[in-house]
Each structure stands twice: as structure tokens, then as C-alpha cells.
Amino acid sequence: MTSRSAGGSEADRPGERAEDLPVGMGRRATAAKAALSLAIVGMCVASCSDDGGSGTREYAVPETLCELPVEQALYEGLFPPGERAEREGTVGGVTWSYFCTWTVDGEVAFAVEAMPGGTGGLEGFASEAEEAAGEPVEIAGPYEARVWPRVAVARGACDNTGADTGVFQDSGPLTVVIRAHFPEDDDEAQAILRELLIPVMEAERDRVGCA
């Protein structure tokens, strides 16, 4: 019979289980393995959640909504994670028409539009998918206002005759539309639009000078 040393060679003991080690050493080995596993998981989570800035907003949310003085807390949730936010479209001007789009990293986040006139139903501003999602939420108040998961529409009479705003003077309906592509959750997006619609409508009416 071939003799071997008490410790044995590496080939003779391919692996030692923690329970085969002395009590103190076994506990230390188990704790070390657990700590290493947690460290690896933590590194993976950090690297996966920081994929090019995804999951974090690396830009500053604008202090006004397309130059409309609306409280930032009402629209901040429409801005998704990303690195760069840019505003596009015609903001303000001398007409009742108004269009503003915010993009984040080249993707549309949301858009705000105002226009004179409009006599048809507000559902004409909602897509077939939005209509199929269910009945819109109606907001009671001085305006006709409805909110779907991705679009909110308000309409009210406006007469800015004599207003010193620099905007073309006229009278008739004024319609405001907000379209949201973020958040991804429909209920969350609808909740934000529901709180935002009337403040935007009133800010636009102030810009035009509606009586």
C-alpha cells in the first residue's frame, strides 16, 4: 500500500467542503463566499442599471414648461431617464397656435399643443388605442376636459380683445392638448396628465390674454 502524508496532495483532495474544515475556518470560508457573491451581484446591478445613463436623469428638468409658468412638480414625471433633453417646436409667438415638444436622447418624451377653434368631440384627439383603453377621466370645471392614459385635452371659450399680450386678438374656442410618451405605466401617465392639464390650460390662456 502506498503511503501518503497526513495532509495529502492537491490531487488526493480535490475539494474540501466547509463542514469538513475546523469549525472556525468553515464559518470564515462560508462568510467569505457569501461576501464575494454579494459583491459580484452588487457590481452587476450597478453596471446593468447604469447602461449609458439609463435609469437616471442626468439633465436638469426645465424650470418652466415650454415657457409656460407651470409648477415644475406637476410635469417633472413626464421627463424620462437620459443624458440630454431638448425642446423643439414653436413656443409662444403672436398667434393662438402653440406647439412644443421635449425630447430626451432623441426620443419624444411629451408634447404640448394649443390651437384656436375646434367644435368636434375631444375624443378626436385620442388614438384608437387610447379609446380602446377605456373611458377617459373627465375633469369638472369651467372647461371641457378629458384625460386618457397618453393624451389630455381641454377646451374653453376665449376672447382676448383688448388684451395687451402681443398676441393676435380674436374670440372663439381655445384648445390645449398634452401627449405623453413617458412614464411607461398608463395609469401613472394618466395621473400626471390629470393634474397637469388645467394648469397648462390656464397658463396658455394667460399667454393669449383670454378674458
Side-chain angles (χ1 to χ4, degrees):
M1 180 180 296
T2 304
S3 62
R4 61 182 179 182
S5 62
S9 66
E10 290 296 326
D12 293 329
R13 45 190 179 91
E16 293 183 55
R17 297 175 298 174
E19 57 267 30
D20 295 330
L21 299 173
V23 174
M25 186 180 296
R27 290 177 178 174
R28 288 195 297 272
T30 302
K33 290 179 180 179
L36 179 60
S37 298
L38 289 173
I40 293 173
V41 170
M43 291 172 62
C44 178
V45 170
S47 62
C48 293
S49 64
D50 191 25
D51 182 15
S54 63
T56 60
R57 189 189 291 144
E58 299 183 10
Y59 57 89
V61 175
E63 296 181 358
T64 61
L65 181 65
C66 299
E67 296 184 5
L68 294 177
V70 178
E71 186 179 348
Q72 188 185 65
L74 294 176
Y75 59 82
E76 184 175 15
L78 297 180
F79 284 90
E83 297 181 356
R84 182 181 179 87
E86 295 180 295
R87 190 182 70 188
E88 301 176 357
T90 303
V91 179
V94 298
T95 71
W96 287 25
S97 298
Y98 174 105
F99 185 75
C100 172
T101 299
W102 275 97
T103 63
V104 175
D105 296 341
E107 299 291 332
V108 175
F110 67 93
V112 180
E113 183 177 8
M115 64 200 78
T119 57
L122 299 186
E123 61 274 6
F125 293 95
S127 67
E128 293 182 3
E130 286 158 349
E131 289 191 52
E135 292 296 320
V137 174
E138 295 193 16
I139 302 177
Y143 315 117
E144 183 183 6
R146 295 183 184 178
V147 182
W148 286 265
R150 297 288 166 188
V151 61
V153 188
R155 178 186 293 152
C158 174
D159 185 349
N160 70 337
T161 304
D164 186 19
T165 58
V167 177
F168 180 77
Q169 297 184 7
D170 201 353
S171 62
L174 176 65
T175 302
V176 165
V177 183
I178 309 173
R179 301 184 185 278
H181 297 266
F182 184 85
E184 296 180 358
D185 181 80
D186 284 347
D187 291 339
E188 187 178 353
Q190 187 174 30
I192 294 174
L193 292 177
R194 183 176 181 178
E195 297 298 320
L196 180 61
L197 178 60
I198 300 305
V200 169
M201 177 65 165
E202 293 181 343
E204 174 61 11
R205 286 175 61 84
D206 288 343
R207 184 189 73 84
V208 173
C210 300

